[in-house]
């Protein structure tokens, strides 16, 4: 389905600023819908003949909907939208007319003009109309709660017509909480509570206030209740700002082990400050879970830090043992083990600084590549370059993949660009493990280089490690390679990573290792997850 912006840009001549204002309304109008017990439909004019297009719709969570079918994308003209035409052309809220029927559902029509205030703060032209359609099938005598809801809804509707609702959103804020059903408090112009819903009363009772809220100075009450004086002052200042006509950010109040989220909105129909609307939500359990998750995350990071330290200790012991070994082959084997352990330690070091079980892999690859050029047994200066991005990878993929890349990079440097005394006869393939063969000619004008390329497509990671060295021997067979490095690479790729690897001659000489690694993992119930 097309988005609000798509529909508006395709069918109307609204300016980008107008469309942005409509987006802000659609992001905050669940509040008005719930207070009105009505569906809200956002209509924009299509032609001068009175045709309107519905670009957004919201249904109330406090009452049954008036529409079983979604109205977004519907273009309507004629008598059916005459009330929209009155609100649009005359710039006033339309509430006249008899109920209409949608199938078996009787509904009451209202139309609210939408204005965008100018840069000077004046009410601009009408750019759209909000249709407020109420399902009358369950009509009855309204309770005190419903009367307060409807009164507040009328004030907010007038603010939409004035261009003062919704208020500007503060950076980082969402529109999900709190909602009307969580708890509603209405204040008069002096900041005294004139109405508090049962859920709001319960939220304050959990903070330690057992008396009735009606008649209380809410700003002063917040200062008294808050366990932290700073939190109490901020929450109190938010109430006072709303009474002045400002839109303060959401605040939290902590008291007696409970936490309450508050949102204060100014009520200024026709530009006259008449009080404020305060929405509250008890988020004690949410914050308790947050604290538990923070503790768990800190524990996991500490575990990764200790694993990294233990791996570095193991690497140090292997390095110490290698210095005491007389046999060259044994020393080389121990040094290779040191590098493998160190590459795994890099992943755990990154995880110890991350807030989840995923790592930004590009930095790890760069460090492994740098280390490969420093420790490889070659006299040639080999450049390392990365193309593309690996992105963020889960820990279980990153740990295996870093070992694979470590082996491929080391072997690309050592066997693609061997020392001068091995120039005549050398195993010249990436991790080939083959018998010595005559080395092919290498263009001396080419700078020795190894390139690591990464590309993600549809939850699959494509990686290539390419060098411009001496290339593969004619009789190279990856499946029969006897070197431990190649065996580790094959085992990790096909086993742990469930991917594929292909070693082949590069298009412009040298050797190319192609890896394909799926990023989705099957869960215990058979579903896949990234």
């Amino acid at each position: 389905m097309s988005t609000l912006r798509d529909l508006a840009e395709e069918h109307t001549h609204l300016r980008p600023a107008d469309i942005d204002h409509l987006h802000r309304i659609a992001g905050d109008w669940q509040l008005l819908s719930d207070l009105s017990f009505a569906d809200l439909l956002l209509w924009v004019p299509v032609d001068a003949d009175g045709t309107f297009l519905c670009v957004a719709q919201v249904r109330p969570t406090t009452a049954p909907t008036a529409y079983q079918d979604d109205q977004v994308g519907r273009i309507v003209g004629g008598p059916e939208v005459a009330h929209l035409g009155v609100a649009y052309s005359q710039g006033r809220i339309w509430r006249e007319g008899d109920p209409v029927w949608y199938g078996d559902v009787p509904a009451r029509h209202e139309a609210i003009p939408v204005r965008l205030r100018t840069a000077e703060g004046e009410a601009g032209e009408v750019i759209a109309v909000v249709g407020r359609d109420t399902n009358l099938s369950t009509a009855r005598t309204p309770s005190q709660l419903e009367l307060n809801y409807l009164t507040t809804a009328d004030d907010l509707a007038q603010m939409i017509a004035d261009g003062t609702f919704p208020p500007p959103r503060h950076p980082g804020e969402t529109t999900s909480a709190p909602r009307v059903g969580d708890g509603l408090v209405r204040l008069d112009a002096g900041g005294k509570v004139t109405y508090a819903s049962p859920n709001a009363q319960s939220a304050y009772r959990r903070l330690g206030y057992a008396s009735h809220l009606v008649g209380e100075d809410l700003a002063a009450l917040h200062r008294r209740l808050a366990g932290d004086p700073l939190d109490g002052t901020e929450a109190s200042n938010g109430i006072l700002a709303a009474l002045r006509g400002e839109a303060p950010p959401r605040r939290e109040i902590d008291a007696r082990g409970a936490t309450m989220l508050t949102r204060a909105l100014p009520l200024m129909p026709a530009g006259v400050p008449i009080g404020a609307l305060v929405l509250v939500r008890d988020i004690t359990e949410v914050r308790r879970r947050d604290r538990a998750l923070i503790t768990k995350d800190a524990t996991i990071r500490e575990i990764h830090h200790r694993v990294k330290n233990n791996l570095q200790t193991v690497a140090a012991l292997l390095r110490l043992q290698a210095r005491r070994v007389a046999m060259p082959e044994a020393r080389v084997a121990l040094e290779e083990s040191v590098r493998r352990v160190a590459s795994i330690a890099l992943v755990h070091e990154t995880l110890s600084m991350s807030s989840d079980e995923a790592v930004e892999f590009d930095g790890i690859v760069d460090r492994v590549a740098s280390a490969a050029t420093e420790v490889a047994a070659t006299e040639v200066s080999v450049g390392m370059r990365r193309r593309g991005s690996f992105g963020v990878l889960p820990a279980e993929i990153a740990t295996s993949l870093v070992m694979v890349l470590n082996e491929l990079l080391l072997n690309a440097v050592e066997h693609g660009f061997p020392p001068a005394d091995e120039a005549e006869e050398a195993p010249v393939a990436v991790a080939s493990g083959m018998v010595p063969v005559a080395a092919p000619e290498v263009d001396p004008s080419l700078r020795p280089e190894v390139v690591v390329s990464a590309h993600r497509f549809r939850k699959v990671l494509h990686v290539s490690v390419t060098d411009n060295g001496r290339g593969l021997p004619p009789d190279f067979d990856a499946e029969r390679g006897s070197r431990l490095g190649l065996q580790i690479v094959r085992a990790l790729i096909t086993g742990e990573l469930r991917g594929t690897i292909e070693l082949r001659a590069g298009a412009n000489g040298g050797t190319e290792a192609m890896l394909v690694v799926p990023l989705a993992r099957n869960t215990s119930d058979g579903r896949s997850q990234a």
Side-chain angles (χ1 to χ4, degrees):
M1 179 177 291
S2 300
T3 64
L4 186 159
R5 186 177 298 276
D6 294 336
L7 291 170
E9 290 179 347
E10 181 179 354
H11 296 280
T12 73
H13 299 288
L14 291 174
R15 300 166 301 173
D18 298 334
I19 298 176
D20 289 340
H21 184 63
L22 299 184
H23 264 291
R24 286 193 295 273
I25 290 177
D28 227 347
W29 68 349
Q30 183 70 58
L31 169 64
L32 178 58
S33 176
D34 290 343
L35 289 171
S36 303
F37 306 99
D39 290 72
L40 300 183
L41 289 79
L42 186 56
W43 298 93
V44 294
V46 177
D47 296 312
D49 60 358
T51 304
F52 286 85
L53 165 69
C54 180
V55 295
Q57 177 181 0
V58 64
R59 292 179 169 88
T61 61
T62 52
T65 180
Y67 299 95
Q68 295 303 318
D69 298 325
D70 197 273
Q71 303 296 301
V72 175
R74 185 177 176 216
I75 299 178
V76 186
E80 187 176 351
V81 292
H83 61 297
L84 302 179
V86 172
Y88 183 78
S89 60
Q90 299 182 15
R92 66 176 180 87
I93 297 178
W94 185 93
R95 291 194 175 98
E96 306 90 61
D98 299 324
V100 296
W101 289 81
Y102 296 113
D104 297 331
V105 178
R108 180 177 64 247
H109 271 329
E110 295 179 62
I112 306 165
V114 176
R115 284 186 175 88
L116 173 62
R117 298 189 77 81
T118 65
E120 293 76 22
E122 300 177 356
E125 297 180 353
V126 177
I127 59 174
V129 179
V130 172
R132 182 162 61 166
D133 301 336
T134 307
N135 185 332
L136 299 178
S137 61
T138 58
R140 55 185 175 79
T141 302
S143 64
Q144 184 185 11
L145 178 145
E146 292 168 335
L147 287 173
N148 278 277
Y149 276 20
L150 292 171
T151 301
T152 306
D154 288 343
D155 293 335
L156 294 180
Q158 183 60 53
M159 291 173 67
I160 288 180
D162 298 337
T164 57
F165 184 87
R169 189 174 303 168
H170 295 270
E173 282 192 341
T174 64
T175 58
S176 60
R179 290 190 173 187
V180 170
D182 298 323
L184 178 145
V185 180
R186 184 175 174 121
L187 308 180
D188 62 17
K192 298 293 182 64
V193 177
T194 60
Y195 175 77
S197 69
N199 284 346
Q201 190 73 54
S202 298
Y204 278 93
R205 185 172 291 115
R206 191 163 188 183
L207 290 179
Y209 184 76
S211 302
H212 290 292
L213 285 167
V214 175
E216 281 288 336
D217 184 328
L218 197 64
L221 179 61
H222 283 184
R223 281 195 298 269
R224 296 200 309 268
L225 288 178
D228 185 338
L230 179 60
D231 290 343
T233 300
E234 290 182 348
S236 174
N237 290 341
I239 300 295
L240 297 176
L243 293 172
R244 294 193 301 268
E246 303 171 12
R250 294 166 174 80
R251 303 291 188 188
E252 292 185 8
I253 302 176
D254 292 304
R256 296 176 180 265
T259 305
M260 185 175 71
L261 177 64
T262 67
R263 182 190 184 192
L265 294 169
L267 294 177
M268 299 178 60
V272 179
I274 62 172
L277 173 67
V278 181
L279 301 174
V280 300
R281 170 185 278 186
D282 181 0
I283 58 170
T284 303
E285 299 305 320
V286 175
R287 288 295 171 260
R288 188 171 296 166
R289 287 195 297 268
D290 288 346
R291 286 191 290 269
L293 287 174
I294 291 173
T295 302
K296 179 181 177 182
D297 289 342
T299 302
I300 292 174
R301 287 197 297 271
E302 178 62 22
I303 290 172
H304 283 301
H305 181 72
R306 295 188 181 188
V307 170
K308 183 262 296 184
N309 288 344
N310 290 339
L311 288 173
Q312 289 180 336
T313 301
V314 172
L317 292 174
L318 290 174
R319 191 178 296 110
L320 181 62
Q321 186 65 47
R323 293 172 183 170
R324 295 175 175 269
V325 172
M327 296 179 58
E329 294 84 357
R331 186 183 303 110
V332 170
L334 288 172
E335 290 173 350
E336 288 180 350
S337 298
V338 169
R339 292 194 292 267
R340 289 163 185 151
V341 172
S343 66
I344 301 175
L346 277 179
V347 176
H348 286 280
E349 180 181 5
T350 305
L351 287 170
S352 69
M353 297 180 289
S354 173
S355 59
D356 53 22
E357 287 295 291
V359 295
E360 184 66 50
F361 201 69
D362 290 345
I364 294 177
V365 173
D366 293 343
R367 292 175 66 181
V368 169
S370 177
T373 59
E374 293 175 1
V375 303
T378 180
E379 299 173 357
V380 182
S381 176
V382 180
M384 287 284 182
R385 185 160 54 93
R386 173 173 55 82
R387 241 182 359 215
S389 175
F390 288 82
V392 177
L393 297 181
E396 63 269 20
I397 293 179
T399 303
S400 299
L401 186 58
V402 72
M403 287 192 65
V404 170
L405 292 177
N406 180 62
E407 296 294 333
L408 293 177
L409 290 170
L410 280 171
N411 284 284
V413 174
E414 292 182 349
H415 301 299
F417 312 98
D421 57 356
E422 299 180 19
E424 295 301 323
E425 274 188 297
V428 293
V430 174
S432 66
M434 301 300 294
V435 295
V437 295
E441 292 294 329
V442 179
D443 186 352
S445 64
L446 290 177
R447 177 177 179 269
E449 185 179 54
V450 177
V451 180
V452 182
S453 302
H455 172 64
R456 298 174 74 141
F457 180 70
R458 293 182 179 177
K459 295 185 178 182
V460 176
L461 178 63
H462 300 264
V463 183
S464 69
V465 179
T466 308
D467 66 66
N468 58 356
R470 299 194 302 175
L472 295 168
D475 54 350
F476 174 74
D477 186 350
E479 297 298 325
R480 297 181 181 179
S482 60
R483 284 182 58 87
L484 178 60
L486 183 58
Q487 294 176 4
I488 290 175
V489 168
R490 284 203 304 264
L492 291 174
I493 287 293
T494 59
E496 296 294 326
L497 298 175
R498 293 181 298 169
T500 60
I501 180 171
E502 178 186 359
L503 297 176
R504 63 192 184 192
N508 299 314
T511 305
E512 186 174 34
M514 301 295 299
L515 313 178
V516 179
V517 179
L519 298 178
R521 289 289 182 264
N522 290 329
T523 60
S524 57
D525 57 1
R527 295 176 299 177
S528 64
Q529 61 181 12

